[in-house]
Amino acid sequence: MQAYISIKLFASLNRYTPDTADNYPVRPGTTVRDLMDQLGVPVTEVKLIFVNGVKGDLASALNGGERVGIFPPVGGG
Amino acid sequence: MTDLLNRIAALATSGRLPDGTPYRRISVEDIVRLSTAFGVPGRDVEIAALEADATPERYVRNMKTFSSDEQIILLRSRVSIVGLGGLGGAVTEILARVGIGTLRLIDGDIFEDSNLNRQFLSTPDLIATSKAAAAAQRVRQINSSIVVQQYDENLNDSNSLSLIENSDVAVDCLDNVPARFTLERAAKQTGLTLVSAAVAGVSGHVTTIFPEDPGLELIYGESDQRPQKGVETSLGCLPQAVTLLASVECSEVIKILLGKGDLLRNRLFFVDLVSNTMDVLQLLKTS
């Protein structure tokens, strides 16, 4: 069964954004870590993960319909 | 004091807001004159004027978003601005104009050429001079009623408590992660509420941390996972993002001081100007 999520990769991670970011196909149960592997995003570059606007982590499971936001560390001023 | 109130009453004139509401007003020039004559900070003259129902004309466009009592609260408030670069320069400008009565300006650095793209306090003639001195000078130029406390020091574990104590709120305008945690520790120890922002490129975030909140570790992780810097080392910091995030910090400071409005406690206001994304994200995981 195929499910779809939307994914946003911010700041320096923007370059990993897939063409299908608004409707990205995932197998239900895919973790954020799996997703990072699929997109080629080094997990060492990931600082914050949000799923449906709530903080998640690399183990967060995606079942379709989620909005995923991925942030690198940001510290400037 | 009666003398000061009599002088205020004599100098106040009648005016109307753009919507027609009548009010009593007193000019910037008269505030300065009374401050000099009575040997008290302009802030104190302004508080006395507001208590006597005369609005200092410099704050008239703050009304009716703020009541007179709320403007008095702001004038009695003390805010520490820690870091006077991009975020701090814009925060200083906004808080001075809105009428925070005491501003403590903390930064041990001097301006460099590379600051000029985003740091409002920096100008070519101020390269290699003190950021704190430039901030103090800017506040005096904008609003001489404000009590300015200038500290040419960078925050560290030995001076952090004394630098921020006796403030009501601290604003984190720093540029590296370890210094942010130093400030957070000091704020928690002194019972201060902290507003913290960070920028990289045209992205950034803001949060508000009460002393009992988990705070920055929700963003940057446990001590062994924390970077020194973020991706601003490659993306730089752009003025349109810096200024936007500084504005959000000031909005939080004002709401904290007035005790009204929604705060970003355990939440992260996030903005990315590449994709025009703005969101408020929950930092506490749902169980």
Side-chain angles (χ1 to χ4, degrees), chain B residues 23-273:
Chain B
Y23 71 105
R24 298 286 289 169
R25 65 184 176 195
I26 183 164
S27 70
V28 170
E29 194 181 352
D30 285 336
I31 296 288
V32 172
R33 190 175 298 138
L34 293 176
S35 166
T36 307
F38 286 84
V40 295
R43 172 200 60 184
D44 294 352
V45 178
E46 292 179 342
I47 290 169
L50 284 159
E51 286 174 341
D53 282 328
T55 298
E57 188 70 1
R58 69 157 67 248
Y59 304 126
V60 72
R61 292 294 182 272
N62 290 356
M63 311 291 161
K64 308 169 186 178
T65 299
F66 305 148
S67 67
S68 292
D69 286 345
E70 287 171 341
Q71 186 69 59
I72 290 170
I73 290 171
L74 297 182
L75 285 165
R76 288 197 170 126
S77 296
R78 302 157 302 177
V79 174
S80 288
I81 304 171
V82 187
L84 296 165
L87 289 168
V91 166
T92 300
E93 179 91 16
I94 294 167
L95 295 184
R97 289 188 188 276
V98 87
I100 304 295
T102 303
L103 292 177
R104 189 173 300 175
L105 308 167
I106 304 167
D107 197 323
D109 287 343
I110 56 174
F111 289 115
E112 300 170 29
D113 288 358
S114 61
N115 300 154
L116 288 166
N117 81 319
R118 69 192 183 284
Q119 300 190 15
F120 284 8
L121 296 167
S122 67
T123 50
D125 60 310
L126 290 182
I127 299 304
T129 69
S130 154
K131 293 186 178 183
Q137 175 65 8
R138 182 66 182 158
V139 173
R140 287 186 211 102
Q141 286 172 339
I142 295 170
N143 188 346
S144 63
S145 293
I146 290 172
V147 176
V148 182
Q149 301 169 340
Q150 175 189 335
Y151 291 88
D152 288 79
E153 293 177 57
N154 286 326
L155 208 75
N156 58 48
D157 280 325
S158 55
N159 68 7
S160 59
L161 291 176
S162 61
L163 279 176
I164 65 166
E165 68 183 358
N166 301 319
S167 303
D168 298 305
V169 177
V171 195
D172 171 8
C173 300
L174 293 160
D175 65 356
N176 70 86
V177 175
R180 295 177 188 282
F181 278 91
T182 301
L183 173 57
E184 185 187 62
R185 275 194 299 278
K188 284 175 184 267
Q189 277 184 49
T190 48
L192 276 189
T193 302
L194 177 66
V195 179
S196 177
V199 188
V202 292
S203 302
H205 47 63
V206 182
T207 191
T208 289
I209 303 165
F210 279 50
E212 63 270 32
D213 296 341
L216 293 175
E217 79 173 29
L218 294 176
I219 299 172
Y220 296 107
E222 304 286 330
S223 55
D224 58 337
Q225 307 161 354
R226 286 175 204 155
Q228 294 280 313
K229 294 263 190 180
V231 295
E232 66 280 1
T233 51
S234 57
L235 297 178
C237 290
L238 275 292
Q240 64 272 41
V242 168
T243 310
L244 197 163
L245 292 155
S247 295
V248 177
E249 283 194 295
C250 293
S251 167
E252 287 293 287
V253 169
I254 291 162
K255 288 185 289 183
I256 291 163
L257 294 171
L258 298 182
K260 68 174 191 182
D262 293 337
L263 296 177
L264 293 166
R265 283 183 79 178
N266 299 315
R267 298 192 297 163
L268 195 68
F269 174 97
F270 169 80
V271 61
D272 174 69
L273 295 177

